Amino acid sequence: YTPFLDSLSEHSLKFTNAFANGRRSSQGLVALTAGFPSLMDDPYMYSPYLENKIYGLPQLLSGMGYKTSFFNGSSKEMLGWYNYIGHVGFDDYHNRDNYSNSDHDDGYWGIYDHYYLDHFCEVLNSYEEPFFSTFFSISSHHPYSIPPGMEEQFETRSEFLSALLYADWSLEQFFNRASQEPWFSNTVFILTADHTNGAAWNSPDEN
């Protein structure tokens, strides 16, 4: 159900053994961008420690001359990330609130992946190199929505697998377009999950 992702792995570094640093998206984002594992029950960004001075990856790269940006097709209020995004050092925060076409909204999480990845590429084309950008996708998340009119293209035996197939196709459309841009050959792409699967929500952290 991820043919494009599988094809990328044939000519990429692939890590098949890993430990999750979070069970929720908020924990995963902090682990990936600031290096903080989920040591508390609640995510770091909702804690009193958010006001502490930190040295996240975006801030460090900004100091080296990189333009930094974060993209998420949800509303900035939905996940409560607005304060953290700036605090960790991202220069720009792109989200559903500053996306121009509400027809591309899934009605729950935000902008469908393939539309927002296209927007992502457009904005990257406006940046001068070097830049560091993080894209947080949403379409493989419950309730597993498929854009209207595309349901048959991604029909499978389950809603989740259909959403996974759509998310993989969306990623392929982005890479097809990005590969034509001058910055592509000088860019490192890192693809990673943000947290464990749903079974880990109700199990001990050691699992």
Side-chain angles (χ1 to χ4, degrees), residues 47-168:
S47 76
Y49 302 107
L50 179 61
E51 298 305 315
N52 290 4
K53 189 173 181 64
I54 61 175
Y55 295 97
L57 187 57
Q59 183 179 4
L60 294 172
L61 290 172
S62 290
M64 300 170 63
Y66 281 74
K67 169 72 174 179
T68 62
S69 55
F70 183 83
F71 292 76
N72 175 30
S74 300
S75 168
K76 65 182 181 183
E77 282 82 18
M78 178 173 282
L79 297 173
W81 292 356
Y82 182 75
N83 291 330
Y84 174 77
I85 296 301
H87 191 57
V88 77
F90 284 108
D91 298 322
D92 296 339
Y93 182 14
H94 298 266
N95 50 70
R96 180 173 64 184
D97 301 344
N98 47 36
Y99 183 80
S100 59
N101 194 338
S102 59
D103 291 339
H104 297 166
D105 197 310
D106 68 5
Y108 189 84
W109 280 108
I111 309 303
Y112 287 108
D113 277 0
H114 83 281
Y115 292 122
Y116 208 62
L117 280 163
D118 198 50
H119 171 69
F120 179 44
C121 195
E122 288 182 5
V123 177
L124 293 184
N125 286 340
S126 71
Y127 289 158
E128 292 185 9
E129 297 181 53
F131 55 77
F132 169 78
S133 294
T134 297
F135 184 94
F136 191 94
S137 65
I138 61 173
S139 290
S140 59
H141 198 291
H142 183 272
Y144 312 129
S145 300
I146 303 295
M150 303 179 71
E151 294 89 350
E152 289 188 7
Q153 182 178 348
F154 303 107
E155 186 175 359
T156 69
R157 58 189 173 87
S158 77
E159 291 180 339
F160 166 68
L161 293 175
S162 294
L164 195 61
L165 193 61
Y166 163 70
D168 184 73

Side-chain angles (χ1 to χ4, degrees), residues 20-40:
N21 275 321
R23 292 180 295 168
R24 302 171 57 185
S25 297
S26 299
Q27 294 171 328
L29 177 63
V30 174
L32 290 167
T33 57
F36 294 166
S38 51
L39 300 176
M40 301 176 288

